[in-house]
Amino acid sequence: MKRDVVRSQNFVHDAAEFILQHARAALAERDQFRIALSGGNTPRPVYTEFGRIARDLPWDRVHFTFGDERCVPPDDPQSNFRMARESLFVLAAVPEKSIARMRGEIDPQLAAGEYQDALDLLATQRGEMIYRHDLILLGVGDDGHTASLFPGTPALDEMVRRVVANFVPKFDAWRITFTYPLINQARHICFLANANKNPSLLEQVLQGDQQFPAARVAPADGGLTWILAES
């Protein structure tokens, strides 16, 4: 695994350019760009900037998925889908067929199974054993979680299922999330971390401290980039 750490003083623009570079490369090589979006506040301006600089992309050949979702309706303020819709999809006029939404409003187990089935079908249609993303965007929480893989939760140990419902005790709530078997098949993974992230935590994650779920992200045959905002 090749890992790069980029310390950026122009975080939003650099992150958006990074995504665009991977989009153009994937479209040139495979005529399709598969990207998984992360939630939270950090990527919101990045998505808007990406939409602005990527207006000429053939959106019908871009396939958006989500690394995780809260178990709320799609119009809820906490919805990762809603954030992506407002910051990117509407502004860039991305067609609905290019977006695979996790259905946070239905039973979590059902939603997770439905999402995995949809990805498996797309993989089968291309003769693949597993759906392989060109780029997965991830964040890192103050407890070292990524996607909805939180410390001490069952999804950390999942070795077979690629999308699961994961109960998070600290929030007393269910989440739907990718698991490591899917994440680590990506061609490239990019962590986005803003300037107020605890530097000690980031250093421990970057050093591979396995108590932090983010440190367990290690693409089997792909690249890993961290883009860290510097104030």
Side-chain angles (χ1 to χ4, degrees):
M1 177 189 73
K2 181 177 182 292
R3 189 187 75 178
D4 294 314
V5 178
V6 178
R7 301 183 187 276
S8 172
Q9 293 189 342
N10 193 6
F11 175 73
V12 169
H13 178 74
D14 288 348
E17 283 284 356
F18 181 89
I19 298 169
L20 182 56
Q21 289 171 13
H22 279 265
R24 294 202 192 285
L27 287 163
E29 293 172 19
R30 291 175 294 279
D31 200 36
Q32 185 181 57
F33 177 49
R34 299 171 171 179
I35 177 172
L37 302 180
S38 61
N41 293 318
T42 299
R44 180 187 289 269
V46 174
Y47 296 162
T48 299
E49 176 68 2
F50 170 61
R52 186 187 72 79
I53 65 176
R55 292 188 184 278
D56 64 332
L57 280 187
W59 295 113
D60 60 325
R61 286 187 275 135
V62 177
H63 191 243
F64 291 96
T65 58
F66 289 83
D68 72 321
E69 183 57 277
R70 297 174 174 90
C71 291
V72 295
D75 58 352
D76 189 281
Q78 294 297 309
S79 166
N80 289 341
F81 167 77
R82 174 176 169 171
M83 186 274 281
R85 182 187 65 203
E86 292 175 349
S87 59
L88 173 60
F89 300 152
V90 172
L91 297 176
V94 176
E96 284 190 22
K97 68 175 185 178
S98 293
I99 305 163
R101 179 176 75 84
M102 288 179 168
R103 293 208 292 160
E105 70 275 22
I106 67 174
D107 176 81
Q109 306 284 352
L110 181 61
E114 176 184 89
Y115 209 74
Q116 177 171 306
D117 288 347
L119 294 184
D120 286 350
L121 177 60
L122 290 170
T124 299
Q125 290 171 346
R126 288 215 165 195
E128 303 166 349
M129 294 294 293
I130 187 171
Y131 186 87
R132 194 174 185 204
H133 288 85
D134 296 301
L135 180 63
I136 294 180
L137 300 177
L138 294 172
V140 57
D142 293 336
D143 57 0
H145 83 267
T146 192
S148 280
L149 299 170
F150 286 82
T153 57
L156 298 179
D157 300 318
E158 181 59 54
M159 301 301 294
V160 177
R161 291 176 297 170
R162 295 172 286 284
V163 185
V164 299
N166 195 29
F167 185 73
V168 184
K170 68 184 289 185
F171 299 131
D172 190 27
W174 286 90
R175 297 282 186 89
I176 307 160
T177 186
F178 285 3
T179 60
Y180 296 120
L182 179 60
I183 292 171
N184 286 330
Q185 286 297 314
R187 292 185 173 89
H188 207 102
I189 296 169
C190 180
F191 278 93
L192 302 175
N194 60 29
N196 63 12
K197 195 61 63 178
N198 184 334
S200 175
L201 168 75
L202 289 177
E203 189 59 34
Q204 288 176 276
V205 171
L206 288 168
Q207 289 178 357
D209 189 332
Q210 296 291 288
Q211 70 172 305
F212 300 112
R216 303 191 201 179
V217 172
D221 185 25
L224 176 62
T225 299
W226 283 78
I227 303 180
L228 308 178
E230 291 192 333
S231 54

